[in-house]
Amino acid sequence: MPDIPLTMIALLCVAALAAGWIDAVVGGGGLLLLPVLLLGLPSHTPAAHALGTNKAVAIVGTTGAAVTYARKAPVDVRTAVRIGLAALAGSSAGAFFAAGMSTDVLKPVIMVVLLGVAAFVILRPAFGTAPATGPATRRQILAAIGLAGLGIGFYDGLIGPGTGTFLVLALTALLHLDLVTASATAKIVNCCTNAGALATFAWQGAVLWQLAALMAVFNLAGGTLGAHTALKQGSGFVRGVLLTVVFALVANLAYEQWLA
């Protein structure tokens, strides 16, 4: 592990705790955790090590949240895993194309889409608040595998930020889930994509395991707490956090596009 001041390690652990909570409620924890890692690691540390360490930390919190949700929320684990495997394939394809494509062209498009999503959620207060009326149809599941799995998985490999949030929105719309159940399902999908990415970074030797293990303890605590909070507070609370994360994601992308 690189030489990191104790105060910075403490900051990284607090960020891991907060990111775990945010990610469990509505996705988007990487918006907080990855920038803090990039800031906290010594300047000579390759960026791949920050990405790999981020995945090693995130998969622990995501798994903890997924287990908590699966115990108390009506999650169709089989459907979630099928979407997750599709997302794993999509993220691998996205990572392949990322090497030869400028994401600067895509970021403004993503910002417009996010603002449209925010407007939709604000103008449709009932979105994601009603429980599912019954099991998803075959057509709905196939649509979720195609869009939430392959499509958003491809985005995750190509750009990445806000993948969990996009998953929650897509699963709510396609499978007619309430926001709490959609968050629960998204965690299982995230476990699949994180596992694939972590395997790649580990094979490349781009994971700071000692630091990741310490931060993962805090991320697990945050993820478990976030899942309990969402289950207790319900879809209305998740909706508020969702809008906050969407606007934070737009601000983050705008900063990277025009100010960084």
Side-chain angles (χ1 to χ4, degrees), residues 165-223:
T165 305
F166 279 126
L167 280 172
V168 171
L169 290 165
L171 292 170
T172 300
L174 294 172
L175 300 180
H176 302 299
L177 304 175
D178 62 87
L179 286 170
V180 173
T181 306
S183 293
T185 306
K187 292 307 103 191
I188 298 174
V189 177
N190 273 162
C191 285
C192 296
T193 55
N194 284 342
L198 178 59
T200 301
F201 284 120
W203 179 71
Q204 295 173 341
V207 180
L208 303 174
W209 291 109
Q210 289 178 305
L211 179 62
L214 177 61
M215 293 175 64
V217 173
F218 289 85
N219 194 250
L220 176 61

Side-chain angles (χ1 to χ4, degrees), residues 34-45:
L34 184 57
V36 173
L37 267 171
L38 292 169
L39 175 67
L41 293 176
S43 57
H44 58 80
T45 305

Side-chain angles (χ1 to χ4, degrees), residues 49-155:
H49 284 67
L51 294 169
T53 303
N54 175 61
K55 286 298 181 185
V57 173
I59 194 172
V60 175
T62 299
T63 302
V67 171
T68 302
Y69 274 124
R71 288 176 175 173
K72 298 185 177 182
V75 183
D76 186 340
V77 176
R78 182 182 176 186
T79 297
V81 171
R82 290 163 70 184
I83 298 171
L85 293 176
L88 178 60
S91 64
S92 299
F96 176 79
F97 282 100
M101 182 179 294
S102 173
T103 58
D104 290 340
V105 177
L106 296 177
K107 285 179 181 177
V109 177
I110 299 299
M111 282 186 274
V112 171
V113 171
L114 281 169
L115 289 173
V117 165
F120 175 81
V121 173
I122 291 171
L123 295 173
R124 294 283 298 274
F127 178 73
T129 58
T133 56
T137 65
R138 178 179 175 82
R139 180 176 295 180
Q140 289 174 329
I141 292 173
L142 289 175
I145 290 173
L147 180 59
L150 290 173
I152 296 178
F154 184 85
Y155 168 81

Side-chain angles (χ1 to χ4, degrees), residues 30-31 34-35 38 103-104 107-108 111 155 159-161 248-260:
L31 292 172
L34 184 57
L38 292 169
T103 58
D104 290 340
K107 285 179 181 177
M111 282 186 274
Y155 168 81
I159 301 178
L249 179 56
V250 171
N252 178 71
L253 291 173
Y255 175 80
E256 290 182 353
Q257 178 74 13
W258 293 298
L259 298 177

